[in-house]
Amino acid sequence: MILPDELILAADFAPATYDDWRKLVDGVLKGAPFEKLVSKTYDGLTIEPIYRRASGTPPVTGRSAAAPWQVMQRVDHPDPLAANAQAIHDLENGATGLEIEFAGGPGARGFGIPDAAPETLRRLFDAVLFDAGISIAIHPVIGRGNAGETLAALIEERHVDPAKVNLRFNYQALSTMAVRGIAPAPWREMAKPFAGVVGGLMKRGFRGPFVLADGRVVHDAGGSEAQELAFALSLAVAYLRMLEDGAIDLDAARSAISFRLAADTDQFLTIAKFRALRMLWARIEAACGLTPKPTFVAAETAWRMLTQRDPYVNMLRATMATFAAGVGGADAITVLPHTLALGLPEMFARRVARNTQLILLEESNLAKVSDPAAGSGGIEGLTQALCEAAWALFQEIEKAGGAFAALEQNLIQRKVAAIRKAHEGNIARRKDVLTGASAFPNLDEAQVAVLAVEPAEFAPSNETKIKFEALSPIRLAAPFELLRDRSDEMLKAKGARPKVFLANLGTATDFTARATFAKSFFETGGIEAIGSEGFRDPAALAVAFKACRAPLACLCSSDTVYAEQAEEAAKALRAAGARHIYLAGRAGEQEPALRSAGVDDFIFAGGDALAVLQEAYDLAEAA
């Protein structure tokens, strides 16, 4: 039946209030405390399960809704001619900008253009029209020639008006030194000539920005969102002082600086982080007596979230990160190809990286609203909390003497190391899941294609005068991947992977859940889990275990069946030659009896999976 229009118009659906939602949640909790649903970020910020609408909060001024973000594509092939062919193909197929990585740079990932010689850049930019509206971002590297000066000369050689070139020079001396852990001289000695380079480019008519405050360095090293923001702010302030001391007008100096942050799979935190950066920088501008104006903020999908195993899942991670950066107001986004952790990406991986952005822009219309998160209670709350936490860390860096002094004192590195350790602990316990690496592994996955180009190691200069702890980039999946590599080596050398026998007890209803958990648990480390039918007879279990020829065994069933059968089953497995016996689940009060019967370890959600797997390899190899 179709209701008359007047009845539809008369229908009144009262909006649900916060209290209405709380009643529903409390009903589901059935007496459990509401605080059980509250979580914490690595900065210790509280994330509530329900938020009230944030009233009266204006949008964060950033990228205009009239224009999409710049679709940047990495150019990092060490052969300039091959890099040029890739760049032309990318521009012809949807990319609107080129991200030029030079070998030895903080984001080169082992590859990059080998040098900044004039002939190298001529080959690299052959047939690239500098004044055709494309965006170009370069990353000059200390000790590899002045790429900015060389490229500026090439543009002038082609008689192109510098004012019509959308070129971000991205000088980033401080973040480069932070990654290397070395500096050729104290910052006070480098700052003046650095400012002279920027001032010279300004006088030649280039618009910039010229200097990059790259907070991504901290994220790569395992740091938190607030730490990344604080580091980016401290870099920007150091560069602002440098430019002002170099006789550059303060307003022009702030326009010469741009930012870059990492975007990862935590969508809400990433959105809040990009919004918080603009609010924090506006506060610094106001403190300098300047009227705040939008600054240029670039995003790059996070290196540390990439996995070598099941790399296709990296496409999903990149999509979530790109979505968050776009909603957060990034002016330009670079998507790391999903195979970059394995080697230099080939055409398919580059196309996927490019099209990830194009689909979100052209089919999802993601850039049509300038700040879609404005007014969201959760996002506004996270943004404000990040602002407060990052500002406190930024002030601590400033009290230490600024970014370079804080690096010399290892102040920043110690704080990042503490968060990295927390990340590593949660990865080891599989509390933070990396699909394909620390969960849902596939031991038979096919190899993906990468280009046959060997990565190059950076050789530090002999002129190094200052050393401090490096903010070295990490990938969170690496510890599990090392175990998988170890398994592959054993398969190649001996014809078989290390094995564990899943000693399933009872019926499928009894053991399926824990057998599935145990299979994933062991195979994340490359230990092949050999399944079995359910057993009730310890003798039959012992026969099946011997036939499997595995040195390790894991009991899998329900708590009820464990109480009835686990002790006898463990004794049978031990008598049959099991070198080490695990039990899937927590034993509780039954643990002493089970250990006495032969159970050595208990595996369960939240346990240190990495430590158990590393020990399992030692046991398997000894056997």
Side-chain angles (χ1 to χ4, degrees):
M1 176 181 178
I2 299 177
L3 293 174
D5 289 344
E6 59 270 18
L7 288 181
I8 295 175
L9 294 173
D12 183 17
F13 299 98
T17 65
Y18 178 87
D19 292 335
D20 293 333
W21 283 108
R22 273 300 303 264
K23 288 178 182 177
L24 291 174
V25 172
D26 290 339
V28 173
L29 288 173
K30 297 179 179 178
F34 181 75
E35 290 70 23
K36 181 180 179 180
L37 303 179
V38 176
S39 61
K40 297 279 188 179
T41 72
Y42 281 96
D43 286 306
L45 309 181
T46 299
I47 299 181
E48 301 283 349
I50 307 174
Y51 286 88
R52 290 182 171 85
R53 180 177 180 178
S55 302
T57 53
V60 175
T61 304
R63 185 190 70 242
S64 170
W69 65 76
Q70 297 170 9
V71 179
M72 306 297 292
Q73 185 79 310
R74 280 174 65 94
V75 179
D76 53 358
H77 199 295
D79 180 349
L81 293 178
N84 171 260
Q86 288 180 337
I88 297 298
H89 180 81
D90 292 329
L91 292 172
E92 290 175 344
N93 288 275
T96 60
L98 302 174
E99 193 92 28
I100 311 299
E101 292 288 354
F102 287 91
R109 315 304 179 193
F111 302 101
I113 309 303
D115 57 64
E119 188 56 33
T120 299
L121 295 193
R122 286 193 189 97
R123 292 174 180 173
L124 175 62
F125 288 104
D126 183 40
V128 174
L129 303 178
F130 291 113
D131 54 353
I134 64 170
S135 175
I136 298 173
I138 63 172
H139 303 284
V141 177
I142 298 172
R144 294 291 180 100
N146 193 329
E149 290 280 2
T150 307
L151 183 55
L154 176 60
I155 291 169
E156 292 169 344
E157 180 182 294
R158 293 189 186 176
H159 305 290
V160 175
D161 182 359
K164 294 182 179 179
V165 180
N166 187 358
L167 173 59
R168 300 197 302 280
F169 287 85
N170 285 351
Y171 286 104
Q172 47 181 317
L174 286 170
S175 52
T176 301
M177 290 185 285
V179 172
R180 294 180 181 177
I182 56 176
W187 177 242
R188 61 181 179 275
E189 295 179 15
M190 293 185 284
K192 188 172 182 179
F194 192 177
V197 170
V198 174
L201 291 169
M202 286 180 169
K203 290 176 182 177
R204 290 160 74 171
F206 289 95
R207 294 180 296 161
F210 303 92
V211 184
L212 178 66
D214 194 354
R216 176 200 56 168
V217 170
V218 163
H219 192 277
D220 283 354
S224 68
E225 288 76 18
Q227 289 173 346
E228 184 182 0
L229 288 169
F231 184 65
L233 290 176
S234 69
L235 294 179
V237 169
Y239 293 141
L240 193 64
R241 291 190 179 113
M242 172 198 78
L243 296 173
E244 188 179 26
D245 291 344
I248 296 174
D249 175 76
L250 191 58
D251 183 48
R254 60 100 174 253
S255 298
I257 299 169
S258 67
F259 292 85
R260 177 164 58 181
L261 299 176
D264 64 22
T265 55
D266 193 320
Q267 295 180 62
F268 296 145
L269 268 177
T270 298
I271 293 169
K273 180 173 68 176
F274 277 81
R275 299 177 80 245
L277 176 63
R278 294 189 184 278
M279 295 171 69
L280 290 164
W281 182 240
R283 183 173 180 178
I284 289 174
E285 289 176 300
C288 293
L290 298 168
T291 300
K293 68 178 185 180
T295 189
F296 192 96
V297 180
E300 181 179 274
T301 57
W303 167 254
R304 77 185 190 196
M305 73 181 182
L306 291 183
T307 63
Q308 292 179 339
R309 300 291 174 162
D310 204 355
Y312 295 109
V313 182
N314 291 329
M315 297 180 189
L316 303 180
R317 297 184 183 102
T319 301
M320 295 168 67
T322 304
F323 171 88
V327 171
D331 295 287
I333 300 177
T334 303
V335 173
L336 299 184
H338 67 280
T339 60
L340 184 59
L342 290 163
L344 192 62
E346 43 69 73
M347 185 176 291
F348 173 71
R350 295 178 66 84
R351 176 162 62 90
V352 171
R354 186 175 65 240
N355 287 350
T356 297
Q357 299 193 58
L358 294 175
I359 290 171
L360 290 173
L361 281 171
E362 298 178 9
E363 296 189 20
S364 301
N365 295 306
L366 205 62
K368 295 297 184 181
V369 179
S370 58
D371 185 18
S376 163
I379 302 299
E380 294 287 4
L382 273 177
T383 302
Q384 188 58 41
L386 274 177
C387 283
E388 293 172 5
W391 190 257
L393 290 172
F394 164 68
Q395 288 181 314
E396 191 173 349
I397 294 171
E398 287 299 292
K399 288 177 182 177
F404 189 81
L407 287 170
E408 281 189 290
Q409 299 164 30
N410 292 317
L411 170 66
I412 297 168
Q413 296 93 317
R414 286 196 301 271
K415 291 182 177 296
V416 170
I419 300 297
R420 181 175 64 246
K421 185 177 180 180
H423 272 295
E424 290 168 346
N426 284 336
I427 291 291
R429 294 192 300 274
R430 305 202 303 169
K431 182 178 179 181
D432 292 347
V433 173
L434 288 166
T435 302
S438 66
F440 306 107
N442 178 9
L443 294 185
D444 300 317
E445 67 182 70
Q447 294 291 317
V448 298
V450 293
L451 297 179
V453 177
E454 291 296 321
E457 295 294 329
F458 168 74
S461 170
N462 293 327
E463 300 178 357
T464 299
K465 293 184 178 180
I466 299 172
K467 293 185 178 181
F468 41 79
E469 293 178 16
L471 285 171
S472 302
I474 64 168
R475 286 187 307 102
L476 295 172
F480 282 95
E481 291 169 351
L482 288 173
L483 294 177
R484 294 282 296 275
D485 292 343
R486 197 170 170 182
S487 175
D488 289 347
E489 290 167 4
M490 293 176 70
L491 176 63
K492 184 176 180 181
K494 301 178 181 180
R497 299 184 186 278
K499 297 178 181 179
V500 60
F501 176 73
L502 301 185
N504 299 326
L505 306 179
T507 66
T509 304
D510 296 319
F511 64 74
T512 296
R514 280 179 169 152
T516 302
F517 168 81
K519 179 178 175 64
S520 176
F521 181 97
F522 285 104
E523 293 192 349
T524 56
I527 299 174
E528 184 179 359
I530 308 299
S532 66
E533 298 297 327
F535 293 94
R536 291 187 179 277
D537 179 12
L541 175 62
V543 170
F545 171 73
K546 284 184 177 181
C548 173
R549 302 179 64 84
L552 313 174
C554 181
L555 293 165
C556 303
S557 196
S558 66
D559 291 345
T560 301
V561 174
Y562 283 155
E564 298 171 353
Q565 301 181 37
E567 291 180 44
E568 292 303 316
K571 291 176 182 177
L573 289 170
R574 184 67 75 193
R579 187 174 183 85
H580 204 81
I581 300 173
Y582 303 88
L583 183 141
R586 297 177 184 269
E589 296 179 355
Q590 199 181 356
E591 181 173 341
L594 288 170
R595 287 194 179 276
S596 179
V599 174
D600 298 289
D601 272 316
F602 300 86
I603 61 170
F604 46 85
D608 191 337
L610 195 59
V612 171
L613 292 168
Q614 288 168 338
E615 183 186 24
Y617 268 91
D618 296 337
L619 293 165
E621 289 177 343

